[in-house]
Structure formats: C-alpha cells, structure tokens
C-alpha cells in the first residue's frame, strides 16, 4: 500500500509575491501554488519544507492529512487579539495542541497521530483524493475558544485595516 500525504497552506492576509512563490516552488516542483495558497499531495516521498517555518513566514492556515491517520492544523492568530487565558485553559485540557509566539502572532498547532481515518476525512474514489469535511466537524470545541478572536478578525478585515501579521 502506498502512502498518501496532503499539505495545504492558505495566505489570508496578503497575497504571496512572485519571489515568495518562487521560494515555495523551490520546495516542490509539483505543488499547486497561487497568490494565496500552496497545495500538494505525496504518494511516494515527503515534503521538503518545514510547515512551521512556512506558517511563520507566509501563511495563516495549514492542514496536513496522511492516510495512516496523522492530522495537523495550524492557525496563525494575531497575538494582540487572542484571549490567552481562554485559549490556555483549553490547551491545558488537551495534549495535542500547542501555542507558540512568532513575531506579533501566535501559531496554534494541533497535531493528532494515528487516528481513525474515517473520523477525520473520507476518500473519494471518483476524485482520487481525501476530503476533510468530517475533520472540520471535529474542531468545534476549539472553534468555540477562538471564536471571539475570529470575529474580531472578520470585522477588522471588513474595515479594510488588514496588514501582514494581522492574520
């Protein structure tokens, strides 16, 4: 049986420059790279980049899925808008999430190893890939913790005040 790994990164706050996209292209010649995303899947081999470093430098969201059950979700949040007390209360209850500072942002890193694949995503034989809809459903508890921050981000973004590092 072959391995399957899926990497997706999203830049929400600002588009990637041509130089940014070239630096990403140097990490993967097969990836789909747009001004706001980097997406690739691997069936033989592995991604050469460090997802945490990519989050620190360019991206705001990251999703990783592997067919053996590993899952990872990272979110870059503006430190000034995060209620650390509420988020830390959640983090002390779980052993699969960490929060690390990166400049003026915090990176929430959620990793789960070797979970039942059916709980997190489904394989679509017609399209030949995994889809993470059930995975998103598993994040409801976490979403309640960061909901106030996300609301602030949405309202600030709507006001045209978005800047790099904001999300």
């Amino acid at each position: 049986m072959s391995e399957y790994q899926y990497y997706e990164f999203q830049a929400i706050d600002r588009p990637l420059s041509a130089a940014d996209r070239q630096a990403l292209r140097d990490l993967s010649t097969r990836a789909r790279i747009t001004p706001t995303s980097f997406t690739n899947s691997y069936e033989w081999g592995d991604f050469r980049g460090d997802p945490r470093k990519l989050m620190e430098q360019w991206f705001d969201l990251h999703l990783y899925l592997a067919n053996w059950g590993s899952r990872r979700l990272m979110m870059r949040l503006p430190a000034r808008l995060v209620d650390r007390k509420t988020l830390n209360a959640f983090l002390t209850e779980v052993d699969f999430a960490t929060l690390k500072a990166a400049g003026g942002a915090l990176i929430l890193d959620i990793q789960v190893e070797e979970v039942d694949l059916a709980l997190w995503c489904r394989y679509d034989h017609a399209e030949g890939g995994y889809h993470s809809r059930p995975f998103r459903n598993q994040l409801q508890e976490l979403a309640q913790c960061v909901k106030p921050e996300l609301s602030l981000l949405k309202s600030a973004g709507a006001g045209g005040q978005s800047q790099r590092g904001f999300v």
Side-chain angles (χ1 to χ4, degrees):
M1 181 173 136
S2 67
E3 295 180 352
Y4 177 84
Q5 298 178 77
Y6 175 82
Y7 292 84
E8 182 173 342
F9 295 87
Q10 294 288 323
I12 296 171
D13 191 48
R14 72 167 178 97
L16 300 166
S17 70
D20 295 338
R21 293 191 306 273
Q22 183 56 53
L24 292 167
R25 178 61 63 208
D26 292 344
L27 294 174
S28 175
T29 58
R30 295 185 318 103
R32 184 178 63 85
I33 301 171
T34 72
T36 58
S37 68
F38 175 98
T39 306
N40 204 357
S41 62
Y42 295 85
E43 294 180 21
W44 306 100
D46 200 3
F47 178 51
R48 292 185 305 229
D50 179 344
R52 179 175 296 284
K53 288 181 182 177
L54 272 66
M55 288 292 293
E56 289 172 2
Q57 190 165 1
W58 293 303
F59 295 105
D60 303 303
L61 292 170
H62 167 59
L63 176 66
Y64 169 79
L65 305 168
N67 68 333
W68 57 84
S70 294
R71 304 287 175 265
R72 186 176 196 183
L73 174 70
M74 284 194 276
M75 293 182 278
R76 181 183 169 107
L77 304 167
R80 69 187 183 336
L81 297 180
V82 173
D83 178 353
R84 294 284 300 258
K85 184 177 178 181
T86 301
L87 197 51
N88 284 332
F90 170 78
L91 294 174
T92 59
E93 299 287 322
V94 298
D95 62 356
F96 57 85
T98 60
L99 188 65
K100 297 209 175 168
L106 298 171
I107 296 178
L108 179 61
D109 189 352
I110 304 164
Q111 294 186 63
V112 182
E113 301 295 327
E114 299 181 15
V115 297
D116 181 3
L117 189 62
L119 295 175
W120 291 83
C121 63
R122 66 177 175 79
Y123 188 81
D124 186 325
H125 292 279
E127 293 184 27
Y130 285 93
H131 299 277
S132 61
R133 182 175 215 116
F135 175 73
R136 289 188 294 263
N137 295 338
Q138 297 293 319
L139 297 174
Q140 288 179 343
E141 182 178 347
L142 175 63
Q144 292 304 313
C145 290
V146 296
K147 190 174 184 178
E149 289 80 14
L150 295 176
S151 294
L152 284 171
L153 294 175
K154 183 178 177 184
S155 63
Q161 301 171 356
S162 184
Q163 330 172 358
R164 179 66 184 147
F166 189 66
V167 172

